[in-house]
C-alpha cells in the first residue's frame, strides 16, 4: 500500500514500516545473491511448489541448477561435487516426498563426513498444525524437518524471514567446520517470498583455523612410534579430506612405519609405496590385516575404526587391542575411544597433526624395522597372484578382475573412479591401484546402493577436464537409470561401466555361502535369468550405449567413451564371482539354517 517499487532496480521502499525508507527485496533473490557471494556455483535438486520462488531467483542468478529426476540422485550428485571440490555441495528439495527421497543421499554424505547444505521447501508457515498438502505429518505438527535429525549436524527451520540470513550463514559455517557434514535449512515457502531489507545478508562465515596438535602430544606419539617394535599407521578418509597425504608419507618414511588404510582412506599413499599395506577388514588384504593384528602400536588418523574395516572388531582378524596399543587422532572427539581401549587421543586436523609429527620425526632414531619392506612386498605380491591370471582372462561373461585391469589401463591416473556398493567397491578397495589422492570416490559409512551412478555427475560437474567413470553393478544402475537423462541435460560426458551379473550379486553370494541359495537376490523372470539391456536404455535417453560382447571389446569401448562428449553406458556381462574376503564380518556368525 504505502510501498513504492523502483522500476529500475526492482527494489521496494517500505514507507509505512517502523523504518521508513528501508529498501527491501524478496528473500529468494537476496538468498541467491548471498549464495553467489559464498562461492556457490551449482545447486543440485528437483522442483516442487514449495521452491518455485527460489527457482525463479536461481534462474536470474549466476548459479547453475542441475535438475535431476529423483532427489536421491541430486543428493548423491551434490555429495560427489563436494568430494571433488572440497566445497559444500548444495541440494534443493521440495518438502515431504522430496525431502524423504533425498534423505538417503544426505545420510550417505553425513556418514562419510561430506560438507553439504540442504535447502528444503516447507509448507506455508501459516498452515503449521493444519496438516497441509504433502507435509510429512500425522503425529506431529509442522515438524517435517525432524526426519533429518539423526544424521544432520544441525536441522534449522526458518520461522521468521529475518532468521534466514543468520541460518544460511550458520549452515555453511557448520557444514565445513570441525567434522564436515550436512546441515538442513528448512524454509516454509512463504519465507522465500517475504520481504527482507536489501542488506539483510551481511555476515559471511568466519575463516576458522583448524585445531593443531600440542607439542607434548607430538613428542608422546613420535616416541611411541619410534620405540614400538611393530608399529602401524592406520589412515582413514580424514587423511584425504584434510589433504594430509604428503605429511602421512613423510611421517611413515621418517620412522619406517607401514601404513594400512580404511576404504575411505584408499589413495592416502601412492600405490607403489614400499610401506603401503593396503586396505584392512572383511574385503581388505591379508598383509594389512596381519600387520595391524600383530602390531604392538597403532596410530589411527582420521578414521572411525568402523566395523567393515575392523573385521567387526574381532581380535582374531584385524585389530587386537589390547595387547596392541592405540593412539588416535581425529577431528571429532566422539570417535575417540568408541570401539577400542585408547591409550591417548588427540582432537586435531589430520594435516596439521601429521605435519607436526613428521617434522618431529625427521632424523629421529627409531627401532630397526628389519625386513618389514620385504614382508610387505611379498604379502602384497602373494595376494595379487590369486587374481593375476584373471586380469588377462578372455572369459565371457568377463571376470571382474579383467574389468578392473581394462579400466586402470584406460583411465588416466588423475581420472576419477566412482564406485557404488558391490563387487565394484570391494574389488576396487582391495585390488585397484590408486596413485592420485582423492580420485577414488565411494560410499563407505552408509554404503548406499545408487550412490555411484549419481555421484559421478557431481564429480564431472566439479572437474570437467578430468575423466569421471562410475564403476557400478547392474543392481545399482537399475535402481535409478534416470541419471543418464540428467547427464544429457547438463552436458556431463560421464561413463558408467555396468558390471552386469543379473543379480544383487554381493548379497546373492552371502546368501549362497550360508544357505545354499540366492532367493530374492537374483534377477529372474519365469525362473530364467532376466537381463536388462542398459545400453539400449542409454540410447533411449539420447546417450551412447555399448553392449560388450567379448573381453577384447572393453578396452577400446572405454577409450572411445572417455573421448566422447556424450555420456556413455558400457554394459559388461560379468561372472558373479565373490570378492575375496581375507577379514571377517560378524554377520557370518549370526546366520543359522532352519526349516
Ligand atoms: C539402498 C541399498 N539397498 C540395499 C543394500 C544392500 N546391498 C549391498 S550390496 C547389494 C547388491 C548390489 O548389487 P549390484 O549393484 O548389482 O552389485 P553386485 O553386488 O552385483 O556387484 C545390496 C542390495 C544397500 N547397500 N543399499
Amino acid at each position: 500500500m504505502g510501498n513504492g517499487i523502483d522500476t529500475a532496480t526492482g527494489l521496494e521502499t517500505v514507507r509505512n514500516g517502523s523504518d521508513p525508507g528501508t529498501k527491501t527485496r524478496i528473500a529468494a533473490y537476496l538468498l541467491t545473491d548471498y549464495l553467489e557471494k559464498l562461492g556457490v556455483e551449482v545447486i543440485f535438486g528437483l522442483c516442487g511448489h514449495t521452491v518455485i520462488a527460489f527457482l525463479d531467483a536461481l534462474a536470474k542468478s549466476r548459479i547453475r541448477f542441475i535438475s535431476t529426476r529423483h532427489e536421491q540422485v541430486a543428493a548423491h550428485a551434490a555429495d560427489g561435487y563436494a568430494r571433488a571440490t572440497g566445497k559444500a555441495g548444495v541440494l534443493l528439495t521440495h518438502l515431504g516426498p522430496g525431502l524423504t527421497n533425498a534423505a538417503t543421499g544426505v545420510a550417505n554424505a553425513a556418514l562419510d563426513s561430506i560438507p553439504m547444505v540442504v535447502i528444503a521447501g516447507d509448507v506455508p508457515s501459516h498452515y503449521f498444525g493444519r496438516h497441509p498438502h504433502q507435509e510429512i505429518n500425522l503425529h506431529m505438527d509442522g515438524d517435517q524437518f525432524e526426519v533429518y535429525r539423526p544424521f544432520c549436524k544441525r536441522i534449522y527451520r526458518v520461522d521468521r524471514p529475518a532468521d534466514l540470513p543468520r541460518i544460511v550463514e550458520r549452515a555453511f559455517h557448520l557444514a565445513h567446520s570441525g567434522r564436515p557434514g550436512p546441515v538442513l535449512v528448512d524454509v516454509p515457502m512463504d519465507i522465500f517470498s517475504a520481504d527482507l531489507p536489501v542488506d539483510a545478508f551481511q555476515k559471511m562465515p568466519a575463516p576458522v583455523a583448524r585445531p593443531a596438535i600440542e607439542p607434548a602430544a607430538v613428542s608422546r606419539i613420535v616416541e611411541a612410534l619410534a620405540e614400538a617394535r611393530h608399529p602401524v599407521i592406520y589412515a582413514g578418509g580424514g587423511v584425504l579430506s584434510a589433504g594430509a597425504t604428503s605429511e602421512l608419507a613423510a611421517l611413515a618414511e621418517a620412522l619406517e612405519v607401514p601404513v594400512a588404510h580404511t576404504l575411505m582412506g584408499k589413495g592416502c599413499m601412492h600405490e607403489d609405496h614400499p610401506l603401503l599395506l593396503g586396505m584392512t577388514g572383511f574385503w581388505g588384504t591379508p598383509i594389512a590385516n596381519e600387520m595391524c593384528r600383530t602390531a604392538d602400536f597403532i596410530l589411527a588418523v582420521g578414521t572411525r575404526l568402523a566395523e567393515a574395516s575392523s573385521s567387526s572388531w574381532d581380535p582374531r582378524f584385524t585389530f587386537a587391542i589390547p595387547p596392541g596399543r592405540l593412539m588416535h587422532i581425529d577431528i571429532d572427539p566422539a570417535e575417540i575411544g568408541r570401539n577400542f581401549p585408547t591409550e591417548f587421543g588427540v582432537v586435531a586436523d589430520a594435516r596439521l597433526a601429521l605435519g607436526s609429527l613428521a617434522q618431529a620425526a625427521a632424523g629421529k632414531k627409531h627401532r630397526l624395522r628389519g625386513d618389514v619392506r620385504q614382508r610387505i612386498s611379498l604379502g602384497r605380491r602373494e595376494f595379487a597372484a590369486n587374481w593375476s591370471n584373471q586380469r588377462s582372462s578372455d572369459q565371457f561373461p568377463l571376470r571382474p578382475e579383467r574389468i578392473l585391469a581394462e579400466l586402470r589401463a584406460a583411465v588416466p591416473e588423475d581420472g576419477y573412479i566412482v564406485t557404488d556398493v558391490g563387487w565394484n567397491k570391494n574389488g576396487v578397495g582391495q585390488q585397484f591401484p590408486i596413485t592420485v589422492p582423492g580420485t577414488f570416490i565411494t560410499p563407505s559409512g552408509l554404503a548406499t546402493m545408487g550412490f555411484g551412478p549419481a555421484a559421478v555427475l557431481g564429480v564431472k560437474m566439479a572437474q570437467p577436464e578430468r575423466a569421471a567413470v562410475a564403476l557400478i553393478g547392474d543392481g545399482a544402475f537399475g535402481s535409478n537409470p534416470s541419471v543418464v537423462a540428467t547427464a544429457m541435460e547438463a552436458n556431463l560426458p560421464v561413463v558408467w561401466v555396468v558390471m552386469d551379473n543379473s543379480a544383487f550379486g554381493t548379497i546373492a553370494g552371502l546368501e549362497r555361502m550360508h544357505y545354499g541359495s540366492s532367493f530374492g537376490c537374483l534377477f529372474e523372470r519365469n525362473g530364467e535369468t532376466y537381463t536388462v539391456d542398459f545400453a539400449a536404455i542409454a540410447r533411449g535417453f539420447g546417450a551412447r550405449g555399448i553392449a560388450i560382447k567379448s573381453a577384447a571389446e572393453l578396452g577400446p569401448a572405454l577409450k572411445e567413451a572417455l573421448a566422447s562428449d556424450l555420456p556413455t553406458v558400457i554394459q559388461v556381462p560379468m561372472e558373479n564371482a565373490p570378492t575375496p574376503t581375507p577379514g571377517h564380518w560378524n554377520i557370518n556368525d549370526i546366520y543359522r539354517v532352519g526349516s
Side-chain angles (χ1 to χ4, degrees):
M1 276 199 320
N3 298 350
I5 300 274
D6 177 333
T7 46
T9 61
L11 300 182
E12 198 173 356
T13 310
V14 179
R15 298 215 185 92
N16 58 352
S18 57
D19 186 6
T22 302
K23 297 256 190 201
T24 65
R25 203 170 165 217
I26 292 172
Y29 301 112
L30 293 174
L31 175 57
T32 50
D33 280 0
Y34 183 65
L35 294 175
E36 281 181 6
K37 250 172 63 182
L38 290 173
V40 173
E41 292 165 332
V42 57
I43 295 181
F44 301 86
L46 200 154
C47 61
H49 69 262
T50 56
V51 297
I52 285 176
F54 185 65
L55 286 176
D56 179 58
L58 271 182
K60 294 167 181 162
S61 77
R62 290 195 303 272
I63 299 169
R64 219 174 141 187
F65 178 61
I66 304 293
S67 165
T68 65
R69 308 298 177 97
H70 191 293
E71 290 83 355
Q72 185 183 344
V73 169
H76 291 319
D79 178 334
Y81 177 86
R83 293 186 202 226
T85 54
K87 290 168 41 171
V90 184
L91 169 67
L92 177 67
T93 81
H94 181 47
L95 87 174
L99 192 74
T100 52
N101 268 355
T104 304
V106 178
N108 188 84
L111 267 80
D112 287 351
S113 310
I114 305 303
M116 182 181 283
V117 173
V118 185
I119 299 173
D122 200 345
V123 298
S125 58
H126 45 266
Y127 285 152
F128 284 166
R130 296 186 64 182
H131 294 189
H133 186 51
Q134 289 188 296
E135 186 190 42
I136 311 165
N137 54 42
L138 285 186
H139 308 296
M140 190 63 83
D141 296 340
D143 207 37
Q144 66 154 24
F145 69 118
E146 286 288 341
V147 297
Y148 275 39
R149 185 179 287 284
F151 47 85
C152 277
K153 288 183 76 172
R154 272 285 205 292
I155 49 169
Y156 290 106
R157 189 181 71 193
V158 185
D159 284 335
R160 300 173 304 165
D163 292 337
L164 184 66
R166 176 180 56 80
I167 287 175
V168 177
E169 181 274 326
R170 289 288 82 192
F172 277 85
H173 167 75
L174 283 173
H176 277 291
S177 59
R179 176 180 184 167
V183 179
L184 173 67
V185 181
D186 178 273
V187 189
M189 62 179 286
D190 48 309
I191 289 190
F192 281 129
S193 293
D195 285 329
L196 279 174
V198 287
D199 59 356
F201 284 85
Q202 289 279 346
K203 194 164 149 241
M204 295 295 280
V208 181
R210 306 283 293 174
I213 179 171
E214 59 183 15
V218 171
S219 316
R220 184 167 173 182
I221 295 173
V222 169
E223 282 305 324
L225 276 172
E227 279 301 308
R229 285 181 192 284
H230 305 292
V232 168
I233 300 173
Y234 187 53
V239 170
L240 286 158
S241 61
T245 53
S246 41
E247 289 81 357
L248 171 69
L251 175 64
E253 285 159 17
L255 302 176
E256 212 177 3
V257 182
V259 174
H261 58 76
T262 65
L263 178 70
M264 291 282 286
K266 187 174 174 79
C268 66
M269 232 179 186
H270 193 285
E271 187 69 21
D272 299 332
H273 198 291
L275 290 169
L276 181 67
L277 291 163
M279 188 169 86
T280 59
F282 187 51
W283 291 291
T285 65
I287 187 71
N289 281 339
E290 184 201 315
M291 283 212 181
C292 285
R293 189 178 48 79
T294 55
D296 56 347
F297 178 78
I298 291 167
L299 174 64
V301 188
T303 164
R304 297 187 295 144
L305 292 147
E307 186 193 357
S309 28
S310 303
S311 292
S312 295
W313 308 293
D314 185 322
R316 293 170 300 166
F317 297 94
T318 299
F319 296 111
I321 305 170
R325 295 161 55 204
L326 174 67
M327 294 192 187
H328 189 178
I329 300 171
D330 201 89
I331 193 75
D332 185 353
E335 291 303 341
I336 292 170
R338 186 203 295 282
N339 286 317
F340 291 105
T342 304
E343 184 177 312
F344 187 48
V346 178
V347 177
D349 172 78
R351 188 169 62 80
L352 295 176
L354 286 170
S356 299
L357 293 171
Q359 225 172 11
K364 187 174 172 62
K365 275 209 156 113
H366 58 84
R367 264 187 208 275
L368 294 180
R369 308 289 186 215
D371 61 353
V372 72
R373 286 169 189 252
Q374 290 87 317
R375 284 173 50 220
I376 295 172
S377 165
L378 182 67
R380 291 186 59 180
R381 267 186 290 124
E382 273 179 358
F383 188 48
N386 288 320
W387 62 80
S388 55
N389 283 348
Q390 311 288 13
R391 288 171 60 81
S392 52
S393 160
D394 286 331
Q395 136 180 347
F396 188 85
L398 275 74
R399 284 292 307 186
E401 298 86 353
R402 173 77 190 256
I403 302 174
L404 291 197
E406 294 295 345
L407 194 64
R408 187 63 290 175
V411 179
E413 289 190 40
D414 72 346
Y416 287 92
I417 305 295
V418 183
T419 77
D420 200 82
V421 296
W423 207 102
N424 51 87
K425 166 172 80 73
N426 307 328
V428 170
Q430 185 180 70
Q431 304 176 14
F432 192 83
I434 293 288
T435 54
V436 176
T439 53
F440 171 47
I441 290 185
T442 196
S444 179
L446 200 64
T448 307
M449 185 175 67
F451 170 85
V456 72
L457 301 173
V459 170
K460 189 70 179 173
M461 186 78 217
Q463 303 284 353
E465 303 308 322
R466 289 161 72 174
V469 178
L471 182 69
I472 55 192
D474 55 325
F477 194 74
S479 71
N480 208 333
S482 75
V483 291
V484 185
T486 304
M488 286 298 292
E489 289 188 72
N491 274 312
L492 296 169
V494 299
V495 181
W496 296 272
V497 177
V498 182
M499 300 171 97
D500 183 4
N501 51 18
S502 299
F504 293 123
T506 304
I507 310 299
L510 283 171
E511 189 178 335
R512 195 177 314 114
M513 187 160 76
H514 290 278
Y515 295 92
S517 83
S518 296
F519 177 79
C521 302
L522 305 178
F523 304 152
E524 287 176 331
R525 181 176 146 82
N526 301 328
E528 300 289 322
T529 297
Y530 172 65
T531 303
V532 175
D533 188 345
F534 290 116
I537 287 180
R539 291 192 288 274
F541 281 114
R544 297 174 76 247
I546 304 175
I548 296 298
K549 299 270 188 305
S550 74
E553 287 178 17
L554 180 56
L558 278 165
K559 287 203 186 80
E560 218 180 282
L562 288 167
S564 171
D565 52 12
L566 273 183
T568 307
V569 173
I570 304 179
Q571 182 168 7
V572 193
M574 177 186 96
E575 179 188 340
N576 189 17
T579 320
T581 52
H584 184 63
W585 193 2
N586 174 258
I587 56 167
N588 295 303
D589 303 330
I590 296 173
Y591 299 128
R592 295 175 67 215
V593 183
S595 58

